[in-house]
Amino acid sequence: MGDQAHENLIGLLQRFMDEPAARTAHKDIQAGERWLDAQPAPAPDALVIAALKTQMAVWALRRHRIRRLVHASVAAAAAVIVLSLIGLLGPRSTSRPHLSYAAIIPTAIWESDDITTDDLDLVYFSSEIRQIEAQVRALDADDSDNGVVGIPEEFETELMAIQTELWKG
Amino acid sequence: MYAGRCYGYFYRLTGDRNLSDELLSELFIRLVEKIGSYKGGAFESWLFKIASNIFHDHLRGKQRRRKLLDAHRSQLELEPGLNEPRFSDEGEIRLDKLQVQLSRLDADTRDLILLRFYSELSFKEIAELRSEPIGTALSKLHRGLKKLRELMEG
């Protein structure tokens, strides 16, 4: 111990005893510690120290690997969470358009067991379907001779009448 | 640096080089395990607290304790002259006079003296480590070192 430490020790001893007793106790402590200094303990075996250093190196390497693994896992987990959130909360640009279907034939017909009535209904609906098909074809071919009403012509006539009335007013 | 001081602490407590090697290895394993619990401050205090715990854990083992006591007893019985250094059966390990006289002190005082000497901690730190008042630690150390001096000079 240095001189300062000795002085501090005397000061510490004086907290518990008077000054002469503290100085005597201090001398006893110093004398006892001199014996410890005079006969140092042997040093540890070099092989033990080498083994300890190896263990510490292995431990440090393992710790480094674990840290890297944890960082990689956290990054992967974060990526998964972000993608999940985008999928849940983001715009649904990739979702398919919603299609609504209207049945021409009422569901009651499919669920009915009355074959005779159902046949008549089917005949009726079949003829309606054929008529609609003919109208669609006529519109496509711009053909109004098949008894189909010329809707564009009607609109044109109405438009001309409106214009005439407007300028009259 | 720390390995030498810790080894000296273990060796002076046990008087057995092989056992001190084991305890030193155990100390470094514990250090690795507990490094997360080190929250700064005096490293020596933390280190020697673990070293002291390891030694006391070792003592608690009944078989090891019996072996240690028997070893100490046989050392004293076989000692030809306390003022003369002697050599072990292997002729390699010198059991010095200090080791013999230290073994004559009570275990608690011996632990305190060696903790103070090898850890180089302040009395305040030693008192905290041992969970006892600083005056008690100081008084025990004074009495112990005075007795050690008498034994060594006697």
Side-chain angles (χ1 to χ4, degrees):
Chain A
M1 284 193 292
D3 292 340
Q4 182 62 38
H6 285 155
E7 285 305 309
N8 290 342
L9 184 54
I10 290 173
L12 191 62
L13 287 164
Q14 283 179 344
R15 284 169 52 187
F16 301 98
M17 53 190 82
D18 58 20
E19 192 181 342
R23 294 209 173 270
T24 306
H26 182 238
K27 281 181 185 172
D28 291 336
I29 290 171
Q30 276 188 305
E33 287 184 336
R34 267 200 297 274
W35 281 109
L36 290 166
D37 271 326
Q39 300 196 38
D45 192 339
L47 284 175
V48 172
I49 294 297
L52 286 176
K53 283 181 179 175
T54 307
Q55 278 181 355
M56 297 294 274
V58 169
W59 169 77
L61 187 65
R62 192 182 304 156
R63 191 178 164 88
H64 180 66
R65 279 184 186 164
I66 288 170
R67 194 179 294 158
R68 276 177 53 194
L69 190 65
V70 167
H71 285 177
S73 304
V74 167
V80 168
I81 289 168
V82 167
L83 288 175
S84 303
L85 286 174
I86 288 171
L88 288 171
L89 305 174
R92 295 173 179 270
S93 57
T94 56
S95 61
R96 292 178 181 177
H98 181 71
L99 295 176
S100 297
Y101 298 96
I104 294 174
I105 301 172
T107 314
I109 291 176
W110 300 108
E111 294 174 349
S112 170
D113 292 329
D114 189 353
I115 296 171
T116 312
T117 311
D118 290 345
D119 282 347
L120 286 173
D121 286 341
L122 283 172
V123 169
Y124 169 72
F125 284 121
S126 298
S127 66
E128 264 198 350
I129 289 168
R130 275 194 294 275
Q131 192 178 353
I132 291 167
E133 278 179 350
Q135 286 177 350
V136 168
R137 281 199 202 98
L139 281 172
D140 285 342
D142 196 19
D143 181 9
S144 59
D145 293 340
N146 294 332
V148 179
V149 179
I151 295 170
E153 285 79 359
E154 280 184 6
F155 280 132
E156 277 180 17
T157 310
E158 276 190 24
L159 188 61
M160 286 175 69
I162 289 167
Q163 282 179 336
T164 310
E165 293 295 320
L166 183 69
W167 291 117
K168 277 181 182 174
Chain B
M1 182 179 81
Y2 290 120
R5 282 163 58 187
C6 293
Y7 184 83
Y9 172 68
F10 287 136
Y11 176 75
R12 288 301 185 198
L13 282 171
T14 63
D16 185 327
R17 293 198 68 162
N18 291 330
L19 181 56
S20 301
D21 285 339
E22 283 178 27
L23 294 176
L24 187 68
S25 299
E26 176 68 22
L27 172 63
F28 277 85
I29 290 168
R30 291 254 190 116
L31 280 183
V32 166
E33 289 172 352
K34 291 176 177 285
I35 194 73
S37 68
Y38 175 60
K39 294 179 171 48
F43 180 74
E44 281 97 338
S45 180
W46 183 71
L47 176 68
F48 275 88
K49 185 169 188 174
I50 295 173
S52 178
N53 286 341
I54 285 172
F55 176 68
H56 287 103
D57 286 349
H58 161 74
L59 279 186
R60 284 188 200 102
K62 288 181 181 177
Q63 289 184 341
R64 286 182 175 178
R65 184 173 187 171
R66 194 181 306 124
K67 191 177 173 183
L68 184 68
L69 292 172
D70 289 343
H72 275 286
R73 194 177 300 122
S74 62
Q75 279 172 11
L76 291 174
E77 286 169 359
L78 292 171
E79 192 63 34
L82 291 175
N83 292 325
E84 297 295 325
R86 78 171 182 86
F87 293 85
S88 67
D89 293 340
E90 294 82 14
E92 293 174 355
I93 303 168
R94 177 181 166 179
L95 189 66
D96 56 53
K97 182 181 174 183
L98 177 63
Q99 192 66 38
V100 175
Q101 303 301 0
L102 276 170
S103 69
R104 292 189 162 180
L105 299 175
D106 69 272
D108 188 51
T109 303
R110 184 169 60 244
D111 188 19
L112 174 61
I113 288 172
L114 296 174
L115 188 62
R116 160 77 176 171
F117 184 77
Y118 286 103
S119 72
E120 299 175 4
L121 293 173
S122 69
F123 272 102
K124 187 184 172 190
E125 289 169 320
I126 286 173
E128 283 175 359
L129 196 151
R130 288 168 55 91
S131 305
E132 65 185 8
I134 191 169
T136 307
L138 201 54
S139 171
K140 278 184 191 172
L141 185 91
H142 173 221
R143 283 201 308 270
L145 284 173
K146 188 178 177 184
K147 187 174 179 183
L148 181 66
R149 178 191 178 189
E150 289 167 0
L151 289 169
M152 293 297 287
E153 292 174 352

mmCIF file of all heavy atoms in Angstrom, chain B residues 27-58:
data_model
loop_
_atom_site.group_PDB
_atom_site.id
_atom_site.type_symbol
_atom_site.label_atom_id
_atom_site.label_comp_id
_atom_site.label_asym_id
_atom_site.label_seq_id
_atom_site.Cartn_x
_atom_site.Cartn_y
_atom_site.Cartn_z
ATOM 1 N N LEU B 27 -14.088 -20.079 -11.516
ATOM 2 C CA LEU B 27 -14.267 -18.620 -11.426
ATOM 3 C C LEU B 27 -14.467 -18.018 -12.815
ATOM 4 O O LEU B 27 -15.379 -17.207 -13.018
ATOM 5 C CB LEU B 27 -13.050 -17.995 -10.736
ATOM 6 C CG LEU B 27 -13.000 -16.471 -10.735
ATOM 7 C CD1 LEU B 27 -14.167 -15.878 -9.960
ATOM 8 C CD2 LEU B 27 -11.689 -15.971 -10.133
ATOM 9 N N PHE B 28 -13.640 -18.427 -13.770
ATOM 10 C CA PHE B 28 -13.759 -17.830 -15.093
ATOM 11 C C PHE B 28 -15.029 -18.284 -15.806
ATOM 12 O O PHE B 28 -15.625 -17.520 -16.567
ATOM 13 C CB PHE B 28 -12.497 -18.112 -15.921
ATOM 14 C CG PHE B 28 -11.412 -17.130 -15.608
ATOM 15 C CD1 PHE B 28 -10.553 -17.329 -14.534
ATOM 16 C CD2 PHE B 28 -11.275 -15.963 -16.345
ATOM 17 C CE1 PHE B 28 -9.575 -16.402 -14.215
ATOM 18 C CE2 PHE B 28 -10.294 -15.026 -16.026
ATOM 19 C CZ PHE B 28 -9.441 -15.246 -14.971
ATOM 20 N N ILE B 29 -15.469 -19.490 -15.524
ATOM 21 C CA ILE B 29 -16.754 -19.942 -16.090
ATOM 22 C C ILE B 29 -17.887 -19.080 -15.533
ATOM 23 O O ILE B 29 -18.766 -18.623 -16.257
ATOM 24 C CB ILE B 29 -16.982 -21.431 -15.777
ATOM 25 C CG1 ILE B 29 -16.004 -22.284 -16.592
ATOM 26 C CG2 ILE B 29 -18.419 -21.848 -16.072
ATOM 27 C CD1 ILE B 29 -15.927 -23.731 -16.159
ATOM 28 N N ARG B 30 -17.821 -18.853 -14.217
ATOM 29 C CA ARG B 30 -18.872 -18.019 -13.596
ATOM 30 C C ARG B 30 -18.822 -16.583 -14.133
ATOM 31 O O ARG B 30 -19.852 -15.946 -14.309
ATOM 32 C CB ARG B 30 -18.694 -17.976 -12.079
ATOM 33 C CG ARG B 30 -18.973 -19.269 -11.410
ATOM 34 C CD ARG B 30 -20.291 -19.273 -10.655
ATOM 35 N NE ARG B 30 -20.354 -20.478 -9.853
ATOM 36 C CZ ARG B 30 -20.387 -20.462 -8.535
ATOM 37 N NH1 ARG B 30 -20.389 -19.327 -7.877
ATOM 38 N NH2 ARG B 30 -20.434 -21.588 -7.868
ATOM 39 N N LEU B 31 -17.593 -16.102 -14.358
ATOM 40 C CA LEU B 31 -17.463 -14.742 -14.884
ATOM 41 C C LEU B 31 -18.165 -14.627 -16.236
ATOM 42 O O LEU B 31 -18.870 -13.657 -16.500
ATOM 43 C CB LEU B 31 -15.980 -14.380 -15.072
ATOM 44 C CG LEU B 31 -15.196 -13.961 -13.843
ATOM 45 C CD1 LEU B 31 -13.780 -13.584 -14.233
ATOM 46 C CD2 LEU B 31 -15.845 -12.785 -13.158
ATOM 47 N N VAL B 32 -17.942 -15.634 -17.069
ATOM 48 C CA VAL B 32 -18.567 -15.640 -18.394
ATOM 49 C C VAL B 32 -20.089 -15.685 -18.249
ATOM 50 O O VAL B 32 -20.817 -14.968 -18.936
ATOM 51 C CB VAL B 32 -18.058 -16.848 -19.201
ATOM 52 C CG1 VAL B 32 -18.910 -17.083 -20.429
ATOM 53 C CG2 VAL B 32 -16.604 -16.640 -19.598
ATOM 54 N N GLU B 33 -20.552 -16.520 -17.337
ATOM 55 C CA GLU B 33 -21.997 -16.660 -17.150
ATOM 56 C C GLU B 33 -22.623 -15.393 -16.585
ATOM 57 O O GLU B 33 -23.745 -15.052 -16.919
ATOM 58 C CB GLU B 33 -22.290 -17.822 -16.206
ATOM 59 C CG GLU B 33 -22.020 -19.185 -16.808
ATOM 60 C CD GLU B 33 -22.142 -20.299 -15.779
ATOM 61 O OE1 GLU B 33 -22.291 -19.995 -14.581
ATOM 62 O OE2 GLU B 33 -22.070 -21.464 -16.183
ATOM 63 N N LYS B 34 -21.889 -14.726 -15.713
ATOM 64 C CA LYS B 34 -22.470 -13.600 -14.979
ATOM 65 C C LYS B 34 -22.041 -12.246 -15.521
ATOM 66 O O LYS B 34 -22.320 -11.224 -14.888
ATOM 67 C CB LYS B 34 -22.082 -13.685 -13.501
ATOM 68 C CG LYS B 34 -22.731 -14.833 -12.772
ATOM 69 C CD LYS B 34 -22.226 -14.893 -11.349
ATOM 70 C CE LYS B 34 -22.911 -15.972 -10.566
ATOM 71 N NZ LYS B 34 -24.272 -15.654 -10.177
ATOM 72 N N ILE B 35 -21.361 -12.235 -16.658
ATOM 73 C CA ILE B 35 -20.831 -10.964 -17.148
ATOM 74 C C ILE B 35 -21.954 -9.950 -17.381
ATOM 75 O O ILE B 35 -21.760 -8.743 -17.254
ATOM 76 C CB ILE B 35 -19.984 -11.184 -18.432
ATOM 77 C CG1 ILE B 35 -19.132 -9.953 -18.767
ATOM 78 C CG2 ILE B 35 -20.876 -11.540 -19.618
ATOM 79 C CD1 ILE B 35 -17.974 -9.776 -17.851
ATOM 80 N N GLY B 36 -23.143 -10.436 -17.696
ATOM 81 C CA GLY B 36 -24.282 -9.541 -17.905
ATOM 82 C C GLY B 36 -24.725 -8.835 -16.643
ATOM 83 O O GLY B 36 -25.355 -7.780 -16.703
ATOM 84 N N SER B 37 -24.399 -9.416 -15.492
ATOM 85 C CA SER B 37 -24.835 -8.815 -14.227
ATOM 86 C C SER B 37 -23.843 -7.778 -13.719
ATOM 87 O O SER B 37 -24.110 -7.108 -12.720
ATOM 88 C CB SER B 37 -25.029 -9.896 -13.163
ATOM 89 O OG SER B 37 -23.785 -10.457 -12.803
ATOM 90 N N TYR B 38 -22.689 -7.658 -14.393
ATOM 91 C CA TYR B 38 -21.702 -6.650 -13.979
ATOM 92 C C TYR B 38 -22.182 -5.285 -14.452
ATOM 93 O O TYR B 38 -22.323 -5.046 -15.651
ATOM 94 C CB TYR B 38 -20.329 -6.980 -14.561
ATOM 95 C CG TYR B 38 -19.282 -5.927 -14.278
ATOM 96 C CD1 TYR B 38 -18.934 -5.598 -12.973
ATOM 97 C CD2 TYR B 38 -18.639 -5.259 -15.309
ATOM 98 C CE1 TYR B 38 -17.990 -4.637 -12.705
ATOM 99 C CE2 TYR B 38 -17.680 -4.291 -15.057
ATOM 100 C CZ TYR B 38 -17.354 -3.984 -13.752
ATOM 101 O OH TYR B 38 -16.427 -3.020 -13.494
ATOM 102 N N LYS B 39 -22.437 -4.408 -13.506
ATOM 103 C CA LYS B 39 -23.008 -3.108 -13.854
ATOM 104 C C LYS B 39 -22.012 -1.981 -13.608
ATOM 105 O O LYS B 39 -22.358 -0.924 -13.104
ATOM 106 C CB LYS B 39 -24.276 -2.875 -13.037
ATOM 107 C CG LYS B 39 -25.385 -3.848 -13.408
ATOM 108 C CD LYS B 39 -26.624 -3.632 -12.602
ATOM 109 C CE LYS B 39 -27.786 -4.455 -13.130
ATOM 110 N NZ LYS B 39 -27.493 -5.848 -13.394
ATOM 111 N N GLY B 40 -20.776 -2.232 -13.954
ATOM 112 C CA GLY B 40 -19.761 -1.189 -13.773
ATOM 113 C C GLY B 40 -19.280 -1.136 -12.334
ATOM 114 O O GLY B 40 -19.579 -2.004 -11.530
ATOM 115 N N GLY B 41 -18.531 -0.097 -12.007
ATOM 116 C CA GLY B 41 -17.981 0.022 -10.658
ATOM 117 C C GLY B 41 -16.683 -0.739 -10.539
ATOM 118 O O GLY B 41 -16.028 -1.044 -11.540
ATOM 119 N N ALA B 42 -16.299 -1.041 -9.290
ATOM 120 C CA ALA B 42 -15.017 -1.704 -9.048
ATOM 121 C C ALA B 42 -15.069 -3.146 -9.534
ATOM 122 O O ALA B 42 -15.828 -3.963 -9.000
ATOM 123 C CB ALA B 42 -14.700 -1.654 -7.565
ATOM 124 N N PHE B 43 -14.271 -3.423 -10.557
ATOM 125 C CA PHE B 43 -14.274 -4.778 -11.113
ATOM 126 C C PHE B 43 -13.732 -5.776 -10.094
ATOM 127 O O PHE B 43 -14.242 -6.893 -9.978
ATOM 128 C CB PHE B 43 -13.435 -4.813 -12.391
ATOM 129 C CG PHE B 43 -13.380 -6.173 -13.025
ATOM 130 C CD1 PHE B 43 -14.477 -6.677 -13.703
ATOM 131 C CD2 PHE B 43 -12.240 -6.950 -12.925
ATOM 132 C CE1 PHE B 43 -14.438 -7.939 -14.276
ATOM 133 C CE2 PHE B 43 -12.197 -8.211 -13.496
ATOM 134 C CZ PHE B 43 -13.294 -8.702 -14.174
ATOM 135 N N GLU B 44 -12.686 -5.355 -9.349
ATOM 136 C CA GLU B 44 -12.098 -6.249 -8.348
ATOM 137 C C GLU B 44 -13.133 -6.684 -7.309
ATOM 138 O O GLU B 44 -13.149 -7.837 -6.892
ATOM 139 C CB GLU B 44 -10.933 -5.584 -7.618
ATOM 140 C CG GLU B 44 -9.629 -5.571 -8.391
ATOM 141 C CD GLU B 44 -9.414 -4.273 -9.105
ATOM 142 O OE1 GLU B 44 -10.436 -3.565 -9.348
ATOM 143 O OE2 GLU B 44 -8.270 -3.932 -9.432
ATOM 144 N N SER B 45 -13.975 -5.762 -6.927
ATOM 145 C CA SER B 45 -14.988 -6.064 -5.922
ATOM 146 C C SER B 45 -15.938 -7.146 -6.451
ATOM 147 O O SER B 45 -16.250 -8.120 -5.753
ATOM 148 C CB SER B 45 -15.762 -4.793 -5.584
ATOM 149 O OG SER B 45 -16.743 -5.066 -4.627
ATOM 150 N N TRP B 46 -16.379 -6.967 -7.675
ATOM 151 C CA TRP B 46 -17.282 -7.933 -8.309
ATOM 152 C C TRP B 46 -16.584 -9.281 -8.497
ATOM 153 O O TRP B 46 -17.136 -10.326 -8.191
ATOM 154 C CB TRP B 46 -17.729 -7.346 -9.652
ATOM 155 C CG TRP B 46 -18.715 -8.179 -10.399
ATOM 156 C CD1 TRP B 46 -20.028 -8.392 -10.076
ATOM 157 C CD2 TRP B 46 -18.476 -8.903 -11.601
ATOM 158 N NE1 TRP B 46 -20.608 -9.205 -11.016
ATOM 159 C CE2 TRP B 46 -19.688 -9.527 -11.969
ATOM 160 C CE3 TRP B 46 -17.363 -9.067 -12.425
ATOM 161 C CZ2 TRP B 46 -19.815 -10.314 -13.102
ATOM 162 C CZ3 TRP B 46 -17.497 -9.852 -13.560
ATOM 163 C CH2 TRP B 46 -18.702 -10.463 -13.886
ATOM 164 N N LEU B 47 -15.343 -9.209 -8.961
ATOM 165 C CA LEU B 47 -14.565 -10.428 -9.224
ATOM 166 C C LEU B 47 -14.332 -11.236 -7.947
ATOM 167 O O LEU B 47 -14.573 -12.447 -7.900
ATOM 168 C CB LEU B 47 -13.226 -10.035 -9.850
ATOM 169 C CG LEU B 47 -12.216 -11.143 -10.116
ATOM 170 C CD1 LEU B 47 -12.728 -12.053 -11.215
ATOM 171 C CD2 LEU B 47 -10.876 -10.550 -10.526
ATOM 172 N N PHE B 48 -13.893 -10.550 -6.907
ATOM 173 C CA PHE B 48 -13.564 -11.272 -5.668
ATOM 174 C C PHE B 48 -14.812 -11.681 -4.892
ATOM 175 O O PHE B 48 -14.752 -12.609 -4.090
ATOM 176 C CB PHE B 48 -12.597 -10.458 -4.810
ATOM 177 C CG PHE B 48 -11.170 -10.673 -5.230
ATOM 178 C CD1 PHE B 48 -10.594 -9.892 -6.214
ATOM 179 C CD2 PHE B 48 -10.405 -11.697 -4.686
ATOM 180 C CE1 PHE B 48 -9.289 -10.111 -6.638
ATOM 181 C CE2 PHE B 48 -9.108 -11.923 -5.102
ATOM 182 C CZ PHE B 48 -8.539 -11.131 -6.086
ATOM 183 N N LYS B 49 -15.906 -11.015 -5.149
ATOM 184 C CA LYS B 49 -17.154 -11.477 -4.534
ATOM 185 C C LYS B 49 -17.520 -12.844 -5.121
ATOM 186 O O LYS B 49 -17.902 -13.767 -4.394
ATOM 187 C CB LYS B 49 -18.282 -10.474 -4.806
ATOM 188 C CG LYS B 49 -19.572 -10.839 -4.103
ATOM 189 C CD LYS B 49 -20.580 -9.731 -4.167
ATOM 190 C CE LYS B 49 -21.770 -10.085 -3.289
ATOM 191 N NZ LYS B 49 -22.740 -8.985 -3.197
ATOM 192 N N ILE B 50 -17.366 -12.961 -6.431
ATOM 193 C CA ILE B 50 -17.637 -14.250 -7.083
ATOM 194 C C ILE B 50 -16.626 -15.291 -6.611
ATOM 195 O O ILE B 50 -16.987 -16.438 -6.315
ATOM 196 C CB ILE B 50 -17.596 -14.095 -8.622
ATOM 197 C CG1 ILE B 50 -18.736 -13.189 -9.086
ATOM 198 C CG2 ILE B 50 -17.716 -15.458 -9.305
ATOM 199 C CD1 ILE B 50 -18.694 -12.830 -10.552
ATOM 200 N N ALA B 51 -15.342 -14.874 -6.531
ATOM 201 C CA ALA B 51 -14.299 -15.811 -6.080
ATOM 202 C C ALA B 51 -14.599 -16.307 -4.663
ATOM 203 O O ALA B 51 -14.483 -17.503 -4.370
ATOM 204 C CB ALA B 51 -12.938 -15.127 -6.133
ATOM 205 N N SER B 52 -15.003 -15.391 -3.812
ATOM 206 C CA SER B 52 -15.322 -15.769 -2.429
ATOM 207 C C SER B 52 -16.517 -16.717 -2.391
ATOM 208 O O SER B 52 -16.523 -17.709 -1.644
ATOM 209 C CB SER B 52 -15.620 -14.485 -1.632
ATOM 210 O OG SER B 52 -15.969 -14.804 -0.313
ATOM 211 N N ASN B 53 -17.520 -16.424 -3.209
ATOM 212 C CA ASN B 53 -18.694 -17.309 -3.269
ATOM 213 C C ASN B 53 -18.311 -18.706 -3.753
ATOM 214 O O ASN B 53 -18.828 -19.708 -3.252
ATOM 215 C CB ASN B 53 -19.756 -16.723 -4.211
ATOM 216 C CG ASN B 53 -20.466 -15.535 -3.595
ATOM 217 O OD1 ASN B 53 -20.445 -15.355 -2.376
ATOM 218 N ND2 ASN B 53 -21.066 -14.711 -4.421
ATOM 219 N N ILE B 54 -17.418 -18.739 -4.740
ATOM 220 C CA ILE B 54 -16.985 -20.040 -5.268
ATOM 221 C C ILE B 54 -16.282 -20.842 -4.183
ATOM 222 O O ILE B 54 -16.532 -22.045 -4.017
ATOM 223 C CB ILE B 54 -16.068 -19.831 -6.498
ATOM 224 C CG1 ILE B 54 -16.919 -19.437 -7.701
ATOM 225 C CG2 ILE B 54 -15.254 -21.091 -6.805
ATOM 226 C CD1 ILE B 54 -16.126 -19.032 -8.907
ATOM 227 N N PHE B 55 -15.412 -20.165 -3.440
ATOM 228 C CA PHE B 55 -14.706 -20.884 -2.372
ATOM 229 C C PHE B 55 -15.692 -21.392 -1.317
ATOM 230 O O PHE B 55 -15.589 -22.531 -0.852
ATOM 231 C CB PHE B 55 -13.654 -19.979 -1.732
ATOM 232 C CG PHE B 55 -12.971 -20.622 -0.567
ATOM 233 C CD1 PHE B 55 -12.126 -21.707 -0.749
ATOM 234 C CD2 PHE B 55 -13.193 -20.178 0.723
ATOM 235 C CE1 PHE B 55 -11.510 -22.337 0.325
ATOM 236 C CE2 PHE B 55 -12.580 -20.799 1.806
ATOM 237 C CZ PHE B 55 -11.737 -21.875 1.599
ATOM 238 N N HIS B 56 -16.644 -20.575 -0.958
ATOM 239 C CA HIS B 56 -17.600 -20.999 0.068
ATOM 240 C C HIS B 56 -18.555 -22.074 -0.458
ATOM 241 O O HIS B 56 -18.966 -22.957 0.298
ATOM 242 C CB HIS B 56 -18.353 -19.785 0.616
ATOM 243 C CG HIS B 56 -17.492 -18.941 1.504
ATOM 244 N ND1 HIS B 56 -16.940 -17.743 1.083
ATOM 245 C CD2 HIS B 56 -17.001 -19.146 2.749
ATOM 246 C CE1 HIS B 56 -16.187 -17.244 2.048
ATOM 247 N NE2 HIS B 56 -16.206 -18.073 3.071
ATOM 248 N N ASP B 57 -18.890 -21.989 -1.748
ATOM 249 C CA ASP B 57 -19.683 -23.075 -2.348
ATOM 250 C C ASP B 57 -18.903 -24.382 -2.273
ATOM 251 O O ASP B 57 -19.473 -25.450 -2.001
ATOM 252 C CB ASP B 57 -19.993 -22.767 -3.824
ATOM 253 C CG ASP B 57 -21.046 -21.692 -3.970
ATOM 254 O OD1 ASP B 57 -21.675 -21.348 -2.959
ATOM 255 O OD2 ASP B 57 -21.214 -21.181 -5.094
ATOM 256 N N HIS B 58 -17.613 -24.259 -2.538
ATOM 257 C CA HIS B 58 -16.745 -25.435 -2.477
ATOM 258 C C HIS B 58 -16.724 -26.018 -1.055
ATOM 259 O O HIS B 58 -16.816 -27.231 -0.862
ATOM 260 C CB HIS B 58 -15.338 -25.044 -2.923
ATOM 261 C CG HIS B 58 -14.285 -26.008 -2.493
ATOM 262 N ND1 HIS B 58 -14.136 -27.241 -3.087
ATOM 263 C CD2 HIS B 58 -13.358 -25.936 -1.505
ATOM 264 C CE1 HIS B 58 -13.148 -27.873 -2.487
ATOM 265 N NE2 HIS B 58 -12.657 -27.107 -1.528
#
